[in-house]
Amino acid sequence: PPPAGFSPGSGALNPFDRRLKRKQKNWAALQAEPAKCDYLREEVGGRIADRVFDITRTFPLALDVGSGRGYIAQHLNKETVEKLIQVDIAENALKNAVESEIPTVRVVADEEFLPFKEDTFDLVVSSLRYQSRELCVCALQIHQVLKPNGVFIGAMFGGDTLYELRCSLQLAELEREGGFSPHVSPFTAVADLGHLLSRAGFNTLTVDTDEIQVNYPGLFEVMEDLQGKYILCMGESNCSWNRKPLLHRETMLAAAAIYQEMYGNSNGSVPATFQIYYMIGWKYHESQAKPAQRGSATVSFGDLAKIEGLLKTGKK
């Protein structure tokens, strides 16, 4: 196993406690009726599968990084993916994986240390597995294991995820304790994604964002779903080294009041927003389309307002 707190090949400290993350995911996978808390992962897994179907080709060998219970595989078919390798840090998650029609091999491994040779996979997918610091490290390995002209399709939480909860907790802690510490793992900004993937070697990048909002009776139900069901079931609870172990009762009550006052719905419920970034990147191959040479354009951007007239002229 890698030294605690270090990233492969860089010697840099990793802000996430990966041993704790593995314990969390293994614990979550053993909970009763885990499917009840997987609604968001399954929804995002379906949307990633839709992006795979948009690519009109068959992938002989695909890799699902951080597959969990197989949230993407259950939406794919063997006409699109002929064989699938599922990798996850938690062995209990793989044991409880949902069966699919695709021939599948499951491997227990740390997603930051992919145990595969270079140029192995035609497709790599990942659903809500990475955060910004992890993606910076793992994108290099994903690019390495992809074949030329292979594609990476992934999704991760965006910077506005759980902003209602984070703001309420911070305001309550400032008021009651004179300062605050993170209780939810940090998220990245969309402006950083393209830069991270480009530095890893990907080209023809596509990044888009979406939001999914879930309503709860109150803050305590949000925390229960995140800590005891949803977030822990995904293994994405706060694993930062500087995390605070607990919140005082008075602080929680104050946060609940702030949450309701600032964000409450007219029916008494409170929203929790999950921002999702979807990314697509290709490994370079000489057959891929290339940009035209500089200065070869025949129409100026200034003429775009006249596009209808130019089209009519072209038809004549």
Side-chain angles (χ1 to χ4, degrees):
F6 281 84
S7 296
S10 64
L13 280 173
N14 190 324
F16 301 106
D17 185 344
R18 300 193 59 74
R19 293 177 181 175
L20 175 61
K21 177 161 285 192
R22 181 177 183 178
K23 290 180 180 178
Q24 288 174 343
K25 295 190 73 173
N26 272 319
W27 175 87
L30 294 177
Q31 300 310 298
E33 300 180 331
K36 284 187 176 181
C37 54
D38 287 342
Y39 53 89
L40 187 57
R41 269 198 180 276
E42 291 179 354
E43 174 65 25
V44 175
R47 298 186 185 188
I48 291 178
D50 288 340
R51 286 164 169 77
V52 175
F53 292 138
D54 287 340
I55 302 173
T56 56
R57 59 186 279 195
T58 299
F59 300 97
L61 184 60
L63 172 67
D64 185 354
V65 182
S67 61
R69 295 177 55 250
Y71 308 102
I72 303 176
Q74 61 183 305
H75 299 284
L76 297 173
N77 57 54
K78 58 185 178 182
E79 285 74 28
T80 303
V81 176
E82 295 179 351
K83 186 175 182 180
L84 178 66
I85 308 293
Q86 293 180 327
V87 171
D88 200 279
I89 195 173
E91 57 271 22
N92 291 336
L94 293 175
K95 290 177 182 178
N96 294 331
V98 179
E99 295 296 330
S100 71
E101 63 179 67
I102 304 172
T104 303
V105 176
R106 300 182 177 97
V107 178
V108 179
D110 191 329
E111 298 92 335
E112 288 195 4
F113 297 82
L114 294 177
F116 304 108
K117 295 182 180 180
E118 187 175 355
D119 300 340
T120 299
F121 298 97
D122 306 277
L123 167 71
V124 176
V125 293
S126 180
S127 176
L128 303 181
R129 169 59 189 85
Y130 294 122
Q131 295 175 10
S132 56
R133 183 61 183 85
E134 296 172 304
L135 181 62
C136 183
V137 174
C138 298
L140 292 168
Q141 295 199 41
I142 292 174
H143 184 270
Q144 185 176 23
V145 301
L146 272 174
K147 293 180 180 179
N149 206 32
V151 60
F152 167 56
I153 303 177
M156 63 186 296
F157 286 117
D160 288 338
T161 295
L162 298 175
Y163 72 87
E164 305 98 339
L165 174 64
R166 288 184 286 148
C167 183
S168 300
L169 290 174
Q170 289 174 8
L171 290 174
E173 281 191 286
L174 283 171
E175 176 190 344
R176 299 304 176 97
E177 303 180 29
F180 66 88
S181 62
H183 297 281
V184 179
S185 294
F187 303 109
T188 190
V190 67
D192 299 328
L193 270 186
H195 180 63
L196 288 174
L197 294 174
S198 179
R199 287 188 59 185
F202 290 99
N203 56 26
T204 319
L205 300 174
T206 302
V207 178
D208 62 284
T209 181
D210 195 7
E211 286 188 356
I212 300 175
Q213 192 173 87
V214 183
N215 292 319
Y216 296 88
L219 177 138
F220 293 103
E221 287 78 11
V222 176
M223 295 291 286
E224 179 186 4
D225 199 31
L226 296 177
Q227 294 179 348
K229 296 179 181 178
Y230 173 69
I231 289 290
L232 285 181
C233 277
M234 294 196 306
E236 297 297 343
S237 61
N238 189 11
C239 298
S240 302
W241 291 101
N242 63 339
R243 63 189 179 273
K244 190 175 181 179
L246 56 86
L247 282 167
H248 296 100
R249 174 180 171 81
E250 294 78 11
T251 303
M252 289 293 296
L253 291 173
I258 293 171
Y259 204 139
Q260 184 65 52
E261 178 66 24
M262 294 183 61
Y263 305 107
N265 298 316
S266 58
N267 62 358
S269 64
V270 295
T273 300
F274 299 91
Q275 185 180 40
I276 312 297
Y277 296 155
Y278 298 93
M279 49 197 157
I280 302 176
W282 295 78
K283 188 170 182 177
Y284 174 78
H285 188 266
E286 59 183 9
S287 64
Q288 294 173 354
K290 299 178 179 61
Q293 293 184 354
R294 187 178 179 86
S296 62
T298 58
V299 179
S300 170
F301 276 111
D303 294 330
L304 287 178
K306 309 173 186 177
I307 189 67
E308 291 186 4
L310 292 173
L311 290 174
K312 291 178 181 179
T313 303
K315 290 180 180 179
K316 292 180 180 179

